[in-house]
């Protein structure tokens, strides 16, 4: 792992995402899926599972039985001809994902593997291989692969549900939003680093529909600069994380959009905690970080983790 190369990986995000958009214009990577898929089972760990959790929620909302499981779980849904199994591994070699996939190899379920390394072990039992197309992450941290996983899972959703929408156009807007945050980092990053730099770690809050943003952001603080960090869903915050504001110097990134944001902010105001909102104005937040197209929930899903990723990169480089 290398902090300077990690920062370079982040700076390469817009070009990589634009290239993925071009690829999706040319072909649907899930065109080979069979008809009659009734259930989708995502298998992965870490960032892969974070992205899959959001994808599964979206599919359930569209009427598709979908679940994102820890690949390390001892058991999950049994194989079946109407079950699509989607193992996700950026490296293609995650031990837990390979172990879970072994239960489905050669069985009746169709397997569509998503990986950034064609020819890696996760592809060996796959009926379909979907490349992430994120390029080599030389910093050793999953950042572009996380963004590309989310994008490809949106493509899978469109394939299974027939959802309307121009995904390549969405990815183009997300690339523009990513570039905007990178180009203007001198305007927002120093204050954000200062406000989040407390003695009791960093917390991240997001609505269930974009919980992956909070989870990935917290992981970036842990993985690079090795700071204590934890993620929470916005509605659940008032049931599980509110207690920390009583006794801790609580500092958080809030990805707004939940109907329960204000409920959380009531406690933040009462207890003098520090919250920075990302992608929207929130009353009494210490700061708000805005970026191009941040009123589009799809752009937010694909873009907003860059704030935490950049804070983590600069903290890591400074060590």
């Amino acid at each position: 792992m290398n902090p300077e190369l990690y920062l370079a990986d982040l700076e390469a995000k817009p070009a990589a995402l634009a290239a993925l958009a071009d690829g999706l214009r040319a072909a649907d990577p899930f065109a080979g899926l069979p008809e009659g898929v009734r259930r989708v089972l995502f298998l992965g760990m870490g960032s892969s599972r974070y992205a899959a959790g959001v994808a599964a929620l979206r599919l359930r909302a569209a009427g598709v039985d979908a679940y994102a499981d820890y690949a390390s779980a001892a058991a999950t849904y049994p194989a079946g001809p109407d079950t699509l199994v989607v193992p996700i591994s950026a490296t293609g070699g995650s031990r837990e994902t390979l172990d879970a996939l072994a239960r489905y190899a050669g069985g009746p379920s169709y397997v569509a593997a998503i990986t950034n390394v064609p020819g890696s072990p996760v592809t060996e039992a796959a009926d379909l291989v979907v490349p992430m197309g994120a390029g080599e992450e030389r910093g050793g941290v999953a950042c572009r692969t996380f963004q590309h996983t989310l994008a490809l899972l949106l493509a899978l959703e469109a394939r299974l549900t027939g959802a309307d929408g121009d995904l390549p156009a969405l990815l183009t807007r997300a690339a523009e939003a990513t570039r905007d945050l990178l180009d203007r980092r001198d305007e927002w990053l120093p204050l954000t680093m200062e406000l989040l730099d407390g003695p009791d770690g960093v917390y991240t809050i997001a609505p269930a529909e974009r919980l992956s943003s909070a989870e990935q952001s917290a992981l970036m603080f842990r993985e690079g600069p090795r700071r204590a960090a934890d993620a929470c869903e916005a509605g659940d915050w008032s049931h599980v994380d509110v207690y920390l504001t009583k006794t801790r110097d609580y500092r958080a990134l809030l990805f707004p959009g939940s109907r329960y944001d204000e409920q959380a902010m009531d406690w933040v105001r009462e207890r003098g905690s520090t919250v920075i909102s990302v992608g929207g104005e929130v009353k009494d937040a210490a700061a708000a970080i805005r970026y191009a197209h941040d009123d589009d929930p799809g752009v937010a899903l694909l873009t907003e983790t860059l704030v935490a990723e950049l804070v983590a990169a600069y903290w890591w480089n400074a060590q």
Side-chain angles (χ1 to χ4, degrees):
M1 295 172 63
N2 182 297
E4 293 181 358
L5 293 178
Y6 169 56
L7 179 58
D9 287 339
L10 298 177
E11 292 171 338
K13 272 190 167 191
L17 198 58
L20 180 61
D22 289 340
L24 292 178
R25 288 188 182 95
D28 178 358
F30 294 99
L33 292 184
E35 299 293 330
V37 172
R38 186 180 67 83
R39 172 180 292 150
V40 180
L41 173 62
F42 298 104
L43 298 170
M45 301 297 291
S47 297
S48 298
R49 187 183 61 81
Y50 301 158
V54 167
L57 178 62
R58 293 173 64 99
L59 284 171
R60 290 196 300 273
V64 178
D65 183 9
Y67 187 66
D69 211 343
Y70 286 93
S72 55
T76 181
Y77 287 116
D82 57 358
T83 296
L84 171 65
V85 178
V86 184
I88 306 171
S89 174
T91 65
S94 299
R95 176 183 173 185
E96 301 86 353
T97 303
L98 295 176
D99 287 348
L101 181 56
R103 298 196 291 265
Y104 301 93
S109 293
Y110 192 91
V111 175
I114 302 176
T115 182
N116 201 44
V117 184
S120 58
V122 77
T123 69
E124 294 174 5
D127 300 293
L128 176 69
V129 176
V130 179
M132 291 179 184
E136 181 186 2
E137 291 174 320
R138 296 189 300 149
V141 177
C143 52
R144 291 200 308 270
T145 49
F146 172 73
Q147 189 177 42
H148 284 224
T149 298
L150 285 168
L152 289 168
L153 293 178
L154 291 175
L156 174 60
E157 176 189 338
R159 182 72 188 182
L160 293 176
T161 67
D164 293 331
D166 187 340
L167 180 56
L170 172 62
L171 301 192
T172 298
R173 293 195 300 277
E176 293 169 351
T178 301
R179 171 57 62 196
D180 183 48
L181 278 172
L182 286 165
D183 287 348
R184 294 189 303 101
R185 76 186 89 167
D186 288 346
E187 299 175 14
W188 61 265
L189 186 55
L191 177 60
T192 301
M193 293 171 62
E194 177 184 346
L195 290 173
L196 293 180
D197 189 12
D200 295 321
V202 185
Y203 298 87
T204 56
I205 309 165
E209 294 75 14
R210 304 198 320 274
L211 184 57
S212 59
S213 296
E215 294 173 319
Q216 175 73 0
S217 295
L219 175 60
M220 293 300 96
F221 292 128
R222 295 192 298 265
E223 189 169 358
R226 308 298 168 98
R227 302 265 186 132
D230 196 23
C232 192
E233 194 276 329
D236 212 25
W237 186 93
S238 297
H239 301 271
V240 298
D241 266 21
V242 62
Y243 310 106
L244 297 174
T245 62
K246 182 77 171 180
T247 57
R248 294 287 185 265
D249 183 353
Y250 188 88
R251 305 186 185 211
L253 282 177
L254 171 65
F255 303 101
S258 170
R259 70 177 70 180
Y260 304 109
D261 288 342
E262 185 60 24
Q263 178 175 267
M265 288 303 296
D266 283 343
W267 287 105
V268 167
R269 295 182 192 102
E270 180 177 326
R271 293 180 173 172
S273 301
T274 301
V275 167
I276 299 172
S277 66
V278 178
E281 304 291 332
V282 174
K283 185 176 182 293
D284 294 324
I289 301 169
R290 305 301 302 268
Y291 53 88
H293 313 304
D294 64 10
D295 58 342
D296 183 332
V299 171
L301 176 67
L302 293 165
T303 304
E304 59 196 1
T305 57
L306 181 59
V307 170
E309 289 169 331
L310 282 171
V311 172
Y314 278 80
W315 276 349
W316 191 10
N317 270 283
Q319 290 176 353

